[in-house]
């Protein structure tokens, strides 16, 4: 775009101003004659100041106008708040799905070694998972956002909990979710307060995800899936009711971004 702008300036020419101060009437007349503006136009076939056919000038001006219009449209696209990266400032977390005996360290890894990934706001920070969380329900990672809103997301990874979620019944999913909630008192309370749990099934590249929205004193957005290779994954996003109502769209984007990978 800078290159275009530079080119357009050269085509439109530069204004040159000459001013020669002097004293007396004769000097005033000379200064008056020298006080002039000149515009030059550069083109591809001739040097500055060459005369051009009026039709050619009209075509060139129309082309310049079109370039300016296209540049403005491109800028509006880049600044559009609908763009997730710009609007939400999301980063990508690559998760390792570390063995149960590992805890207290980061679950972050590189793309080639990742078993799952999801988007999250860049200002959220990872909090080390303790021994109880890791050993009781398989929590692999936890990230926290604003303290006032009590924002957090955590990923649970369990092995050999059903080979294919496509064959699961809703009661099976609910039973699995209840087992995972053992290590999270807030999640237990939220599930207990929700009488009608409606799991929404969706398919992403042939993989089945079950989504659940839990309302209450501590709202949750949840998704559960299986990677088809013996690992069961659950993602939990929670916040205060006020924070949840303000950023629910963001939390849903985070949930929808969750993916799993099989390393062979």
């Amino acid at each position: 775009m800078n290159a275009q702008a530079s080119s357009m300036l050269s085509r439109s020419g530069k204004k040159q101003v000459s001013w020669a101060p002097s004293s007396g009437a004769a000097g005033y007349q000379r200064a008056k004659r020298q006080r002039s503006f000149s515009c030059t136009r550069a083109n591809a076939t001739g040097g500055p100041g060459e005369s051009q056919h009026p039709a050619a000038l009209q075509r060139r001006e129309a082309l310049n106008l079109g370039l300016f219009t296209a540049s403005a449209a491109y800028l509006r696209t880049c600044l559009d708040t609908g763009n997730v990266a710009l609007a939400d400032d999301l980063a990508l977390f690559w998760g390792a799905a570390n063995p149960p005996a590992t805890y207290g360290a980061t679950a972050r890894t590189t793309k080639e070694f990742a078993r799952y990934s999801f988007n999250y706001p860049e200002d959220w920070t990872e909090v080390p998972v303790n021994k109880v969380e890791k050993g009781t329900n398989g929590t692999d990672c936890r990230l926290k956002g604003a303290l006032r809103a009590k924002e957090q997301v955590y990923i649970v990874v369990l092995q050999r909990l059903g080979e294919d979620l496509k064959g699961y019944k809703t009661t099976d999913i609910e039973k699995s979710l209840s087992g995972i909630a053992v290590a999270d008192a807030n999640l237990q309370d939220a599930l207990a307060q929700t009488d009608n749990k409606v799991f929404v099934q969706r398919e992403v590249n042939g993989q089945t995800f079950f989504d659940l929205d839990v309302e209450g004193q501590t709202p949750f957005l949840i998704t559960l899936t299986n990677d088809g290779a013996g690992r069961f994954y659950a993602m939990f996003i929670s916040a205060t009711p006020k924070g949840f109502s303000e950023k629910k769209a963001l939390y849903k984007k985070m949930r929808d971004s969750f993916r799993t990978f099989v390393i062979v």
Side-chain angles (χ1 to χ4, degrees), residues 64-139:
N64 288 341
L65 179 60
L67 289 175
F68 276 119
T69 303
S71 299
Y74 174 75
L75 180 61
R76 285 196 301 270
T77 301
C78 291
L79 299 179
D80 187 0
T81 55
N83 187 303
V84 174
L86 292 176
D88 301 322
D89 202 18
L90 297 180
L92 187 59
F93 187 94
W94 298 102
N98 291 318
T102 60
Y103 57 90
T106 181
R108 194 185 298 271
T109 186
T110 56
K111 180 179 179 180
E112 58 268 30
F113 297 109
R115 294 189 181 274
Y116 64 88
S117 70
F118 61 91
N119 291 328
Y120 70 98
E122 286 188 339
D123 58 349
W124 287 34
T125 57
E126 185 181 6
V127 179
V129 174
N130 61 42
K131 183 178 181 179
V132 174
E133 292 174 318
K134 188 69 175 179
T136 304
N137 74 337
T139 301

